[in-house]
Amino acid sequence: MMPYLGHGVGLRPKHYPRVWDGTARADWFEVIAENFMVRGGRPLAVLERARALAPLVFHGVSLSVGSTDPLNEAYLHDLAALIRRFQPAWISDHLCWGSIGGHYVHDLLPLPFTEEALAHVVARVRMVQDWVGQRLLLENVSSYLTFTHSTLAEWEFLATVAEEADCGILLDVNNVYVSAVNHGFDPVQYLRALPAGRIGQIHLAGHSDCGVYLLDTHDSAVSAPVWELYRLAVRLFGRVSTLVEWDDKIPEFEVVCAEAERARAIEAEELKEADAVSA
Amino acid sequence: MLSLRELQVRFFQAIAGEPGKSGGFDPLLVEAVRMHGSLSREERIGVYVRMYFARLLDALQEDFPRVAAYLGWERFQALVRAYVQAHPSTHPSVRHIGRRFADFLAAQPEIQGELPFLPDLARLEWGRLEVFDAPDAEPVQLEQLRRLPPEDWPTVRFQVIPACRVLHSAWPVHEIWAGGEGALRPERIKPRETVVRIWRQGFVVYQASMDRFERRAWAYVQEGEPFAALCAALAPSCPPEAVVQEVSSLLLRWIEDGLLVLRTSEALLTG
Ligand SMILES: [Fe+2]
């Protein structure tokens, strides 16, 4: 689906100085595309340096692919211009909506898993891919509510969008786990239902336990059950470019990298075991 | 059953609109949420309501740290709540959320009464953000001008870099800013006509107040007037034999600050 880049880290402003002096080392960097939809100054200069250090991937947060508003052409224009300038290995955004009536909520809101939403999202993903001239990876989001009129399970919805729109999947293992706890489904069933050939990237991140629900905060290390689920993902999907996200209470760059190294070790263990079994 | 559009409109209203009279959520939206576990449907919607506000509050606090400090946390929060209700984000990037915050503050009677300098402090903070990621430019270097034959001086024209804003205020807003987060007491702040230029050099944002002479000269530079016109216009402000000297030293400062680019017709100087 996408080239294998290894185990990368999400690049955030706190670590820009480390990019600037060339000491930020990782297999690859994922950056939030919207942070670079500016006209000049430090962000774009840092991105030029980052590109010289490692392959880049653009991760969007405001495509709002599930919104019933028209696609924001100015946004797509900016995104396409960024792609032309920085040539990311691929681009991704979320299977959700985040704007309506011309207003943005800067959050990843849940869709109902209905035939109506499915047809809508499939058509929109096709439009976006056509606009930017490349395939999009869509990420499953953490959610805190589901809708009574959903007729599909989330994993069915995600898998069907990917097949029908011919896009890839950015599988966020932490989001699967968070939503599984919040809605009482089996995360293993979720992963087993996904089309292996369409998984282009994996996300790992930390969440917070709020007692009666889990909150997707990206402010801590990856939790034990999410590592377990990552093991399963490696067994099911093989070698997939994997990235650690850390967006709040961001620690030193090396701490984020250590999480990526842990993911690398787990991947190696699981693949070795798979080889031993098949030999 | 709600259509996708109806659902989205109602969901947005619940998280970003004004709370309903009864304080509860839209019943049709609540009905559309599946019941599960110990978290009620309203609590599930509430998670999104809190996250929405927390994110925007965070962004505005980062954009306006000094305004937030003068207001105090409680009051800043209350004003942000009213602001984002009145002006929800219209841009895919949260970077633009504070675009109308200064005007919003200026329209609040209690701000005008108690902290009348605050809207301009907000303008200054916003201006700093604006120049931070404004387009890059190649400021003219002193070396380039040194190579200029004296007879070409009268016709040389400059342009101001894009990463520069000029702020007019009835308050010494740059001093209020430099006083740190809440260091100055509002009651001690006295009005004083002030013009501040805010600009970026390299990746660093600077600001400096402009005196009357600099302000007049700046107006001509912004118009793209040649050096000779600049001198002629400023002649009445100082003794005639000093005017070229004064204008030159002003130019020197602007060039050292990286504020000027050469207009295209002079670009041949760089060769
Ligand atoms: Fe993610």
Side-chain angles (χ1 to χ4, degrees), chain A residues 198-224:
Chain A
R198 292 204 176 268
I199 313 291
Q201 185 191 330
I202 288 177
H203 264 175
L204 294 167
H207 59 254
S208 300
D209 189 340
C210 299
V212 281
Y213 66 98
L214 300 184
L215 195 63
D216 179 34
T217 43
H218 295 191
D219 66 347
S220 55
V222 178
S223 72

PDB file of all heavy atoms in Angstrom, chain A residues 198-224:
ATOM      1  N   ARG A 198      -4.682  -2.881   2.764  1.00  0.00           N
ATOM      2  CA  ARG A 198      -4.927  -1.426   2.723  1.00  0.00           C
ATOM      3  C   ARG A 198      -4.340  -0.689   3.920  1.00  0.00           C
ATOM      4  O   ARG A 198      -4.469   0.529   4.018  1.00  0.00           O
ATOM      5  CB  ARG A 198      -6.434  -1.155   2.625  1.00  0.00           C
ATOM      6  CG  ARG A 198      -6.977  -1.595   1.283  1.00  0.00           C
ATOM      7  CD  ARG A 198      -8.238  -0.868   0.910  1.00  0.00           C
ATOM      8  NE  ARG A 198      -8.669  -1.245  -0.431  1.00  0.00           N
ATOM      9  CZ  ARG A 198      -8.322  -0.579  -1.532  1.00  0.00           C
ATOM     10  NH1 ARG A 198      -7.569   0.504  -1.449  1.00  0.00           N
ATOM     11  NH2 ARG A 198      -8.730  -0.985  -2.707  1.00  0.00           N
ATOM     12  N   ILE A 199      -3.707  -1.408   4.822  1.00  0.00           N
ATOM     13  CA  ILE A 199      -3.133  -0.734   5.991  1.00  0.00           C
ATOM     14  C   ILE A 199      -1.787  -0.129   5.575  1.00  0.00           C
ATOM     15  O   ILE A 199      -0.804  -0.835   5.367  1.00  0.00           O
ATOM     16  CB  ILE A 199      -2.894  -1.712   7.165  1.00  0.00           C
ATOM     17  CG1 ILE A 199      -4.125  -2.595   7.414  1.00  0.00           C
ATOM     18  CG2 ILE A 199      -2.496  -0.944   8.426  1.00  0.00           C
ATOM     19  CD1 ILE A 199      -5.325  -1.891   7.971  1.00  0.00           C
ATOM     20  N   GLY A 200      -1.759   1.192   5.466  1.00  0.00           N
ATOM     21  CA  GLY A 200      -0.552   1.862   5.002  1.00  0.00           C
ATOM     22  C   GLY A 200       0.318   2.407   6.118  1.00  0.00           C
ATOM     23  O   GLY A 200       1.493   2.710   5.924  1.00  0.00           O
ATOM     24  N   GLN A 201      -0.257   2.572   7.286  1.00  0.00           N
ATOM     25  CA  GLN A 201       0.473   3.155   8.409  1.00  0.00           C
ATOM     26  C   GLN A 201      -0.236   2.802   9.707  1.00  0.00           C
ATOM     27  O   GLN A 201      -1.447   2.562   9.716  1.00  0.00           O
ATOM     28  CB  GLN A 201       0.542   4.680   8.258  1.00  0.00           C
ATOM     29  CG  GLN A 201       1.398   5.363   9.316  1.00  0.00           C
ATOM     30  CD  GLN A 201       1.239   6.881   9.313  1.00  0.00           C
ATOM     31  OE1 GLN A 201       0.978   7.489   8.289  1.00  0.00           O
ATOM     32  NE2 GLN A 201       1.396   7.490  10.478  1.00  0.00           N
ATOM     33  N   ILE A 202       0.556   2.790  10.770  1.00  0.00           N
ATOM     34  CA  ILE A 202       0.000   2.559  12.111  1.00  0.00           C
ATOM     35  C   ILE A 202       0.375   3.730  13.010  1.00  0.00           C
ATOM     36  O   ILE A 202       1.488   4.259  12.916  1.00  0.00           O
ATOM     37  CB  ILE A 202       0.532   1.226  12.695  1.00  0.00           C
ATOM     38  CG1 ILE A 202      -0.118   0.044  11.950  1.00  0.00           C
ATOM     39  CG2 ILE A 202       0.264   1.125  14.202  1.00  0.00           C
ATOM     40  CD1 ILE A 202       0.386  -1.318  12.377  1.00  0.00           C
ATOM     41  N   HIS A 203      -0.564   4.142  13.852  1.00  0.00           N
ATOM     42  CA  HIS A 203      -0.317   5.147  14.889  1.00  0.00           C
ATOM     43  C   HIS A 203      -0.320   4.480  16.259  1.00  0.00           C
ATOM     44  O   HIS A 203      -1.165   3.615  16.529  1.00  0.00           O
ATOM     45  CB  HIS A 203      -1.440   6.199  14.914  1.00  0.00           C
ATOM     46  CG  HIS A 203      -1.126   7.430  14.146  1.00  0.00           C
ATOM     47  ND1 HIS A 203      -2.056   8.432  13.968  1.00  0.00           N
ATOM     48  CD2 HIS A 203       0.003   7.858  13.527  1.00  0.00           C
ATOM     49  CE1 HIS A 203      -1.512   9.413  13.258  1.00  0.00           C
ATOM     50  NE2 HIS A 203      -0.265   9.085  12.973  1.00  0.00           N
ATOM     51  N   LEU A 204       0.584   4.943  17.110  1.00  0.00           N
ATOM     52  CA  LEU A 204       0.590   4.559  18.519  1.00  0.00           C
ATOM     53  C   LEU A 204       0.603   5.842  19.337  1.00  0.00           C
ATOM     54  O   LEU A 204       1.246   6.819  18.950  1.00  0.00           O
ATOM     55  CB  LEU A 204       1.838   3.736  18.849  1.00  0.00           C
ATOM     56  CG  LEU A 204       1.940   2.360  18.184  1.00  0.00           C
ATOM     57  CD1 LEU A 204       3.361   1.816  18.343  1.00  0.00           C
ATOM     58  CD2 LEU A 204       0.926   1.398  18.782  1.00  0.00           C
ATOM     59  N   ALA A 205      -0.096   5.838  20.466  1.00  0.00           N
ATOM     60  CA  ALA A 205      -0.114   7.025  21.325  1.00  0.00           C
ATOM     61  C   ALA A 205      -0.605   6.639  22.712  1.00  0.00           C
ATOM     62  O   ALA A 205      -1.087   5.520  22.909  1.00  0.00           O
ATOM     63  CB  ALA A 205      -1.028   8.102  20.726  1.00  0.00           C
ATOM     64  N   GLY A 206      -0.488   7.578  23.627  1.00  0.00           N
ATOM     65  CA  GLY A 206      -0.986   7.349  24.976  1.00  0.00           C
ATOM     66  C   GLY A 206      -2.379   7.943  25.144  1.00  0.00           C
ATOM     67  O   GLY A 206      -2.777   8.838  24.399  1.00  0.00           O
ATOM     68  N   HIS A 207      -3.135   7.419  26.113  1.00  0.00           N
ATOM     69  CA  HIS A 207      -4.457   7.973  26.409  1.00  0.00           C
ATOM     70  C   HIS A 207      -4.575   8.176  27.929  1.00  0.00           C
ATOM     71  O   HIS A 207      -3.671   7.808  28.668  1.00  0.00           O
ATOM     72  CB  HIS A 207      -5.555   7.038  25.904  1.00  0.00           C
ATOM     73  CG  HIS A 207      -5.501   5.660  26.504  1.00  0.00           C
ATOM     74  ND1 HIS A 207      -5.065   4.566  25.788  1.00  0.00           N
ATOM     75  CD2 HIS A 207      -5.779   5.215  27.744  1.00  0.00           C
ATOM     76  CE1 HIS A 207      -5.102   3.498  26.579  1.00  0.00           C
ATOM     77  NE2 HIS A 207      -5.520   3.866  27.772  1.00  0.00           N
ATOM     78  N   SER A 208      -5.692   8.770  28.349  1.00  0.00           N
ATOM     79  CA  SER A 208      -5.919   8.985  29.784  1.00  0.00           C
ATOM     80  C   SER A 208      -7.146   8.204  30.226  1.00  0.00           C
ATOM     81  O   SER A 208      -8.137   8.147  29.500  1.00  0.00           O
ATOM     82  CB  SER A 208      -6.151  10.461  30.077  1.00  0.00           C
ATOM     83  OG  SER A 208      -5.032  11.204  29.695  1.00  0.00           O
ATOM     84  N   ASP A 209      -7.060   7.669  31.418  1.00  0.00           N
ATOM     85  CA  ASP A 209      -8.187   6.941  31.980  1.00  0.00           C
ATOM     86  C   ASP A 209      -9.000   7.899  32.840  1.00  0.00           C
ATOM     87  O   ASP A 209      -8.540   8.370  33.877  1.00  0.00           O
ATOM     88  CB  ASP A 209      -7.661   5.772  32.835  1.00  0.00           C
ATOM     89  CG  ASP A 209      -8.798   4.856  33.249  1.00  0.00           C
ATOM     90  OD1 ASP A 209      -9.965   5.299  33.221  1.00  0.00           O
ATOM     91  OD2 ASP A 209      -8.512   3.694  33.599  1.00  0.00           O
ATOM     92  N   CYS A 210     -10.214   8.228  32.387  1.00  0.00           N
ATOM     93  CA  CYS A 210     -11.063   9.160  33.135  1.00  0.00           C
ATOM     94  C   CYS A 210     -12.057   8.415  34.008  1.00  0.00           C
ATOM     95  O   CYS A 210     -13.114   8.957  34.359  1.00  0.00           O
ATOM     96  CB  CYS A 210     -11.785  10.085  32.171  1.00  0.00           C
ATOM     97  SG  CYS A 210     -10.682  11.081  31.170  1.00  0.00           S
ATOM     98  N   GLY A 211     -11.771   7.184  34.326  1.00  0.00           N
ATOM     99  CA  GLY A 211     -12.664   6.432  35.207  1.00  0.00           C
ATOM    100  C   GLY A 211     -13.723   5.690  34.418  1.00  0.00           C
ATOM    101  O   GLY A 211     -13.590   4.503  34.162  1.00  0.00           O
ATOM    102  N   VAL A 212     -14.760   6.423  33.986  1.00  0.00           N
ATOM    103  CA  VAL A 212     -15.835   5.750  33.250  1.00  0.00           C
ATOM    104  C   VAL A 212     -15.599   5.720  31.742  1.00  0.00           C
ATOM    105  O   VAL A 212     -16.354   5.105  31.002  1.00  0.00           O
ATOM    106  CB  VAL A 212     -17.217   6.376  33.542  1.00  0.00           C
ATOM    107  CG1 VAL A 212     -17.749   5.886  34.874  1.00  0.00           C
ATOM    108  CG2 VAL A 212     -17.141   7.883  33.521  1.00  0.00           C
ATOM    109  N   TYR A 213     -14.572   6.391  31.306  1.00  0.00           N
ATOM    110  CA  TYR A 213     -14.228   6.310  29.879  1.00  0.00           C
ATOM    111  C   TYR A 213     -12.752   6.631  29.686  1.00  0.00           C
ATOM    112  O   TYR A 213     -12.087   7.142  30.601  1.00  0.00           O
ATOM    113  CB  TYR A 213     -15.104   7.241  29.038  1.00  0.00           C
ATOM    114  CG  TYR A 213     -14.895   8.717  29.309  1.00  0.00           C
ATOM    115  CD1 TYR A 213     -14.065   9.481  28.484  1.00  0.00           C
ATOM    116  CD2 TYR A 213     -15.520   9.359  30.382  1.00  0.00           C
ATOM    117  CE1 TYR A 213     -13.864  10.829  28.727  1.00  0.00           C
ATOM    118  CE2 TYR A 213     -15.327  10.708  30.628  1.00  0.00           C
ATOM    119  CZ  TYR A 213     -14.506  11.430  29.796  1.00  0.00           C
ATOM    120  OH  TYR A 213     -14.303  12.760  30.030  1.00  0.00           O
ATOM    121  N   LEU A 214     -12.234   6.325  28.507  1.00  0.00           N
ATOM    122  CA  LEU A 214     -10.848   6.669  28.164  1.00  0.00           C
ATOM    123  C   LEU A 214     -10.861   7.889  27.253  1.00  0.00           C
ATOM    124  O   LEU A 214     -11.726   8.022  26.382  1.00  0.00           O
ATOM    125  CB  LEU A 214     -10.168   5.502  27.444  1.00  0.00           C
ATOM    126  CG  LEU A 214     -10.068   4.168  28.194  1.00  0.00           C
ATOM    127  CD1 LEU A 214      -9.272   3.164  27.359  1.00  0.00           C
ATOM    128  CD2 LEU A 214      -9.424   4.355  29.567  1.00  0.00           C
ATOM    129  N   LEU A 215      -9.883   8.770  27.459  1.00  0.00           N
ATOM    130  CA  LEU A 215      -9.769   9.972  26.639  1.00  0.00           C
ATOM    131  C   LEU A 215      -8.461   9.911  25.858  1.00  0.00           C
ATOM    132  O   LEU A 215      -7.403   9.600  26.419  1.00  0.00           O
ATOM    133  CB  LEU A 215      -9.800  11.212  27.549  1.00  0.00           C
ATOM    134  CG  LEU A 215     -10.053  12.562  26.890  1.00  0.00           C
ATOM    135  CD1 LEU A 215     -11.428  12.623  26.224  1.00  0.00           C
ATOM    136  CD2 LEU A 215      -9.943  13.690  27.923  1.00  0.00           C
ATOM    137  N   ASP A 216      -8.576  10.208  24.565  1.00  0.00           N
ATOM    138  CA  ASP A 216      -7.434  10.129  23.656  1.00  0.00           C
ATOM    139  C   ASP A 216      -6.603  11.406  23.794  1.00  0.00           C
ATOM    140  O   ASP A 216      -6.811  12.362  23.064  1.00  0.00           O
ATOM    141  CB  ASP A 216      -7.983   9.988  22.229  1.00  0.00           C
ATOM    142  CG  ASP A 216      -6.884   9.926  21.191  1.00  0.00           C
ATOM    143  OD1 ASP A 216      -5.827   9.366  21.491  1.00  0.00           O
ATOM    144  OD2 ASP A 216      -7.103  10.443  20.079  1.00  0.00           O
ATOM    145  N   THR A 217      -5.660  11.419  24.737  1.00  0.00           N
ATOM    146  CA  THR A 217      -4.971  12.669  25.069  1.00  0.00           C
ATOM    147  C   THR A 217      -3.585  12.816  24.445  1.00  0.00           C
ATOM    148  O   THR A 217      -3.048  13.920  24.401  1.00  0.00           O
ATOM    149  CB  THR A 217      -4.824  12.790  26.598  1.00  0.00           C
ATOM    150  OG1 THR A 217      -4.431  11.510  27.110  1.00  0.00           O
ATOM    151  CG2 THR A 217      -6.123  13.202  27.243  1.00  0.00           C
ATOM    152  N   HIS A 218      -2.976  11.718  24.009  1.00  0.00           N
ATOM    153  CA  HIS A 218      -1.622  11.789  23.424  1.00  0.00           C
ATOM    154  C   HIS A 218      -0.644  12.504  24.354  1.00  0.00           C
ATOM    155  O   HIS A 218       0.226  13.243  23.897  1.00  0.00           O
ATOM    156  CB  HIS A 218      -1.633  12.527  22.075  1.00  0.00           C
ATOM    157  CG  HIS A 218      -2.416  11.816  21.009  1.00  0.00           C
ATOM    158  ND1 HIS A 218      -2.367  12.196  19.694  1.00  0.00           N
ATOM    159  CD2 HIS A 218      -3.233  10.754  21.054  1.00  0.00           C
ATOM    160  CE1 HIS A 218      -3.150  11.400  18.981  1.00  0.00           C
ATOM    161  NE2 HIS A 218      -3.687  10.516  19.794  1.00  0.00           N
ATOM    162  N   ASP A 219      -0.804  12.306  25.655  1.00  0.00           N
ATOM    163  CA  ASP A 219       0.045  13.042  26.591  1.00  0.00           C
ATOM    164  C   ASP A 219       0.879  12.111  27.472  1.00  0.00           C
ATOM    165  O   ASP A 219       1.376  12.516  28.522  1.00  0.00           O
ATOM    166  CB  ASP A 219      -0.816  13.958  27.473  1.00  0.00           C
ATOM    167  CG  ASP A 219      -1.746  13.171  28.388  1.00  0.00           C
ATOM    168  OD1 ASP A 219      -1.909  11.950  28.176  1.00  0.00           O
ATOM    169  OD2 ASP A 219      -2.316  13.782  29.305  1.00  0.00           O
ATOM    170  N   SER A 220       1.026  10.853  27.047  1.00  0.00           N
ATOM    171  CA  SER A 220       1.759   9.912  27.887  1.00  0.00           C
ATOM    172  C   SER A 220       2.302   8.779  27.024  1.00  0.00           C
ATOM    173  O   SER A 220       2.084   8.753  25.805  1.00  0.00           O
ATOM    174  CB  SER A 220       0.815   9.347  28.958  1.00  0.00           C
ATOM    175  OG  SER A 220      -0.314   8.777  28.332  1.00  0.00           O
ATOM    176  N   ALA A 221       2.982   7.853  27.684  1.00  0.00           N
ATOM    177  CA  ALA A 221       3.531   6.692  26.975  1.00  0.00           C
ATOM    178  C   ALA A 221       2.387   5.775  26.525  1.00  0.00           C
ATOM    179  O   ALA A 221       1.264   5.860  27.029  1.00  0.00           O
ATOM    180  CB  ALA A 221       4.481   5.939  27.894  1.00  0.00           C
ATOM    181  N   VAL A 222       2.689   4.910  25.583  1.00  0.00           N
ATOM    182  CA  VAL A 222       1.706   3.947  25.082  1.00  0.00           C
ATOM    183  C   VAL A 222       1.386   2.959  26.217  1.00  0.00           C
ATOM    184  O   VAL A 222       2.285   2.500  26.925  1.00  0.00           O
ATOM    185  CB  VAL A 222       2.286   3.205  23.853  1.00  0.00           C
ATOM    186  CG1 VAL A 222       1.312   2.152  23.335  1.00  0.00           C
ATOM    187  CG2 VAL A 222       2.640   4.216  22.758  1.00  0.00           C
ATOM    188  N   SER A 223       0.110   2.628  26.365  1.00  0.00           N
ATOM    189  CA  SER A 223      -0.286   1.758  27.479  1.00  0.00           C
ATOM    190  C   SER A 223      -0.102   0.282  27.118  1.00  0.00           C
ATOM    191  O   SER A 223      -0.036  -0.082  25.936  1.00  0.00           O
ATOM    192  CB  SER A 223      -1.746   2.018  27.850  1.00  0.00           C
ATOM    193  OG  SER A 223      -2.586   1.504  26.840  1.00  0.00           O
ATOM    194  N   ALA A 224      -0.057  -0.564  28.162  1.00  0.00           N
ATOM    195  CA  ALA A 224       0.189  -1.995  27.955  1.00  0.00           C
ATOM    196  C   ALA A 224      -0.821  -2.652  27.010  1.00  0.00           C
ATOM    197  O   ALA A 224      -0.426  -3.380  26.090  1.00  0.00           O
ATOM    198  CB  ALA A 224       0.237  -2.709  29.304  1.00  0.00           C
TER     199      ALA A 224
END
